[in-house]
Amino acid sequence: KNEVEQSPQNLTAQEGEFITINCSYSVGISALHWLQQHPGGGIVSLFMLSSGKKKHGRLIATINIQEKHSSLHITASHPRDSAVYICAVTYTGGSYIPTFGRGTSLIVHP
Amino acid sequence: DADVTQTPRNRITKTGKRIMLECSQTKGHDRMYWYRQDPGLGLRLIYYSFDVKDINKGEISDGYSVSRQAQAKFSLSLESAIPNQTALYFCATSDFARGGADTQYFGPGTRLTVL
């Protein structure tokens, strides 16, 4: 079974800290997605990437295709960044249904 | 107005009852999905539909059925609810992208409790 592994599972930080969340996968992919799930439950897509790096505000997502690894970075973290961050991949050769990681729960204290 | 809506948002029911969760979208997407989320397990696919005439089982379809009434509507039914179906249920949509890299758009979720 194709797996998506995220680390850490839980993360606590102080406001202003630089945050890194990691995602590893097992086989070739067509795309990797980072999603954010707010404490109220809603899920929004942050990034979709297949190579290189993308940036949106204080969020940066990178992917290394050779190492089958992606990172989500949050610069100058803020309490409103507290959420669950979910990595998902769509594998090549399949129906392109995403496979989801279990999520990383981030709490940022003021 | 939200692009993907789910009704109801919360539901408490008893073992053995039939339950329907409804999903509507205004994004004009052909692809729709039902997922369940359990603490510590992440999102798992129940059923998906790539168009009105296409219905496919996902990873955990046992105990569930679906109906794609129109491009915009995709309903999930629990024929005889059991307590281990207590979970947060999400509907999602996507539009086919060349190379298969669809972005998924999620509804707000339905919190279902089966007593």
Side-chain angles (χ1 to χ4, degrees):
Chain A
K1 182 179 176 182
N2 299 325
E3 297 286 345
V4 178
E5 299 290 337
Q6 287 187 237
S7 63
Q9 187 174 352
N10 297 284
L11 187 54
T12 301
Q14 290 297 126
E15 184 172 356
E17 288 185 358
F18 182 83
I19 304 293
T20 296
I21 299 170
N22 298 297
C23 177
S24 298
Y25 53 92
S26 54
V27 295
I29 64 171
S30 60
L32 183 141
H33 309 256
W34 282 102
L35 307 102
Q36 180 189 55
Q37 184 170 21
H38 300 289
I43 300 173
V44 296
S45 179
L46 297 174
F47 295 104
M48 180 175 65
L49 64 166
S50 55
S51 64
K53 174 180 174 179
K54 287 190 175 181
K55 184 176 188 291
H56 181 70
R58 295 180 294 105
L59 301 178
I60 303 167
T62 65
I63 187 168
N64 184 317
I65 297 298
Q66 287 73 30
E67 295 186 2
K68 297 184 175 60
H69 180 268
S70 175
S71 293
L72 176 68
H73 305 287
I74 305 174
T75 62
S77 60
H78 190 277
R80 65 175 175 266
D81 297 325
S82 298
V84 174
Y85 293 85
I86 301 170
C87 174
V89 302
T90 48
Y91 290 103
T92 54
S95 61
Y96 301 108
I97 305 294
T99 299
F100 294 86
R102 297 186 177 194
T104 294
S105 177
L106 170 65
I107 299 173
V108 181
H109 294 292
Chain B
D1 289 340
D3 294 319
V4 184
T5 58
Q6 292 183 233
T7 56
R9 295 292 311 280
N10 290 282
R11 182 72 184 268
I12 299 173
T13 191
K14 294 182 178 180
T15 297
K17 294 292 187 180
R18 185 178 189 272
I19 298 296
M20 179 180 287
L21 309 183
E22 298 186 337
C23 177
S24 294
Q25 52 113 348
T26 58
K27 299 191 74 67
H29 290 167
D30 286 327
R31 298 184 168 192
M32 297 187 73
Y33 311 80
W34 275 105
Y35 297 97
R36 67 176 277 176
Q37 186 180 44
D38 298 276
L41 292 182
L43 289 158
R44 293 184 290 166
L45 182 65
I46 305 172
Y47 271 95
Y48 64 101
S49 169
F50 281 177
D51 66 43
V52 174
K53 297 180 181 179
D54 176 76
I55 302 288
N56 303 280
K57 293 182 178 181
E59 179 186 354
I60 52 165
S61 60
D62 287 349
Y64 302 94
S65 62
V66 290
S67 173
R68 184 82 184 265
Q69 300 95 323
Q71 186 202 38
K73 295 185 182 296
F74 193 36
S75 300
L76 176 72
S77 293
L78 288 68
E79 298 301 327
S80 180
I82 56 176
N84 77 359
Q85 291 177 313
T86 294
L88 187 55
Y89 290 84
F90 286 99
C91 173
T93 74
S94 71
D95 198 13
F96 177 75
R98 192 174 302 278
D102 305 12
T103 292
Q104 298 216 333
Y105 297 87
F106 287 84
T110 294
R111 189 168 297 279
L112 177 66
T113 302
V114 183
L115 301 176

